[in-house]
Amino acid sequence: MAKIKLSLSTPIMESFRVAAIRGKFDLPEVNESKFNLDIDFPLEDYPDWKIGAIVGASGSGKTRLAEHVYGKTPPIPWHSDRAFIDEFEPSLDIGEIIGALSSVGFSSIPCYLQPFNTLSVGQAYRAVIARHLLMAKNEIILDEFTSNVDRVVAKGISVALSKWSKNQPGKKIIVISCHKDILPWLEPDWVLDLDQQEFRWRSYKRPKTQLRIYQSD
């Protein structure tokens, strides 16, 4: 069984305020902050997985762990002098771009014609995810997943992304999030929970949705 053993340290620079914080909150006098992780990560047991989730509270080491396993994801450049849909690779069909944007809940077609810097925070976040999804790489890391949208929208994005991933041969998606409410809607093949220091294979079922239809005028 594969394991992840990760030990990281960050130096603490001495200053008057650092000393004041130590004294106020009775913190030990150490010259570095340490992060240690020793956890099972048996992805080789089921190599055909499509989507996984790394979850945990802020500061639990989610991003560091993902960078340790998969490497850093470089930032995506955007320009202010063109419609943001023109930022996608020229080889992509317009239908692929629309499909990826729809899969992350960005369906406001008129906004596709705007530059990236004019989009709302939520729209910009969806555009970034869609562009990551269409990049020519097998492992897609989506950090801070759904952090910039409300929780109802987050669940909708999770459902759409889950469906999208099933029709993408060879691609694996890893979402990183401090929000665990998305898990039943995302239905990941595996979850690495840093709060519980636990890895588990798929154990979520999407909640049932009740639909009521009323006659109106």
Side-chain angles (χ1 to χ4, degrees):
M1 178 179 290
K3 292 182 75 71
I4 294 178
K5 291 188 177 181
L6 183 59
S7 181
L8 300 172
S9 62
T10 303
I12 297 175
M13 307 302 179
E14 296 299 328
S15 71
F16 173 78
R17 288 179 178 173
V18 168
I21 290 292
R22 282 195 183 121
K24 188 175 182 64
F25 296 98
D26 195 26
L27 298 178
E29 291 190 22
V30 295
N31 57 12
E32 62 180 5
S33 173
K34 293 185 177 180
F35 170 76
N36 296 300
L37 182 67
D38 187 351
I39 194 169
D40 294 330
F41 199 48
L43 295 187
E44 76 282 358
D45 292 351
Y46 180 50
D48 295 329
W49 61 271
K50 301 292 293 181
I51 189 164
I54 301 174
V55 297
S58 295
S60 61
K62 302 182 297 297
T63 300
R64 284 188 166 190
L65 183 146
E67 290 177 351
H68 174 74
V69 177
Y70 298 105
K72 285 191 176 183
T73 301
I76 294 179
W78 299 91
H79 300 86
S80 60
D81 59 350
R82 67 188 72 169
F84 84 86
I85 57 167
D86 286 330
E87 306 269 17
F88 289 81
E89 291 296 323
S91 59
L92 293 170
D93 179 85
I94 189 65
E96 293 179 277
I97 299 173
I98 293 173
L101 288 167
S102 297
S103 76
V104 293
F106 194 165
S107 301
S108 180
I109 307 299
C111 293
Y112 292 2
L113 311 183
Q114 298 178 204
F116 179 80
N117 65 318
T118 66
L119 301 176
S120 70
V121 172
Q123 289 173 336
Y125 175 72
R126 294 179 179 96
V128 168
I129 293 180
R131 199 163 162 198
H132 274 300
L133 294 180
L134 293 179
M135 285 183 170
K137 54 185 179 180
N138 294 329
E139 290 170 340
I140 302 165
I141 312 297
L142 302 178
D143 202 354
E144 297 293 344
F145 184 67
T146 71
S147 293
N148 294 330
V149 295
D150 67 59
R151 306 322 304 155
V152 174
V153 172
K155 293 171 184 177
I157 292 175
S158 299
V159 171
L161 182 62
S162 180
K163 291 181 179 178
W164 185 89
S165 70
K166 291 177 173 61
N167 298 315
Q168 304 299 317
K171 287 201 173 187
K172 299 181 185 298
I173 300 173
I174 300 97
V175 306
I176 303 171
S177 181
C178 60
H179 298 287
K180 298 181 184 179
D181 61 339
I182 62 171
L183 295 177
W185 304 91
L186 186 66
E187 291 188 305
D189 296 307
W190 57 263
V191 174
L192 185 59
D193 188 332
L194 295 187
D195 292 335
Q196 304 296 324
Q197 294 283 294
E198 177 186 51
F199 176 93
R200 55 184 178 270
W201 287 109
R202 183 170 180 170
S203 58
Y204 291 93
K205 272 194 171 182
R206 189 172 297 156
K208 293 183 178 180
T209 301
Q210 291 186 340
L211 177 65
R212 296 182 180 179
I213 301 176
Y214 299 90
Q215 184 174 353
S216 66
D217 55 26

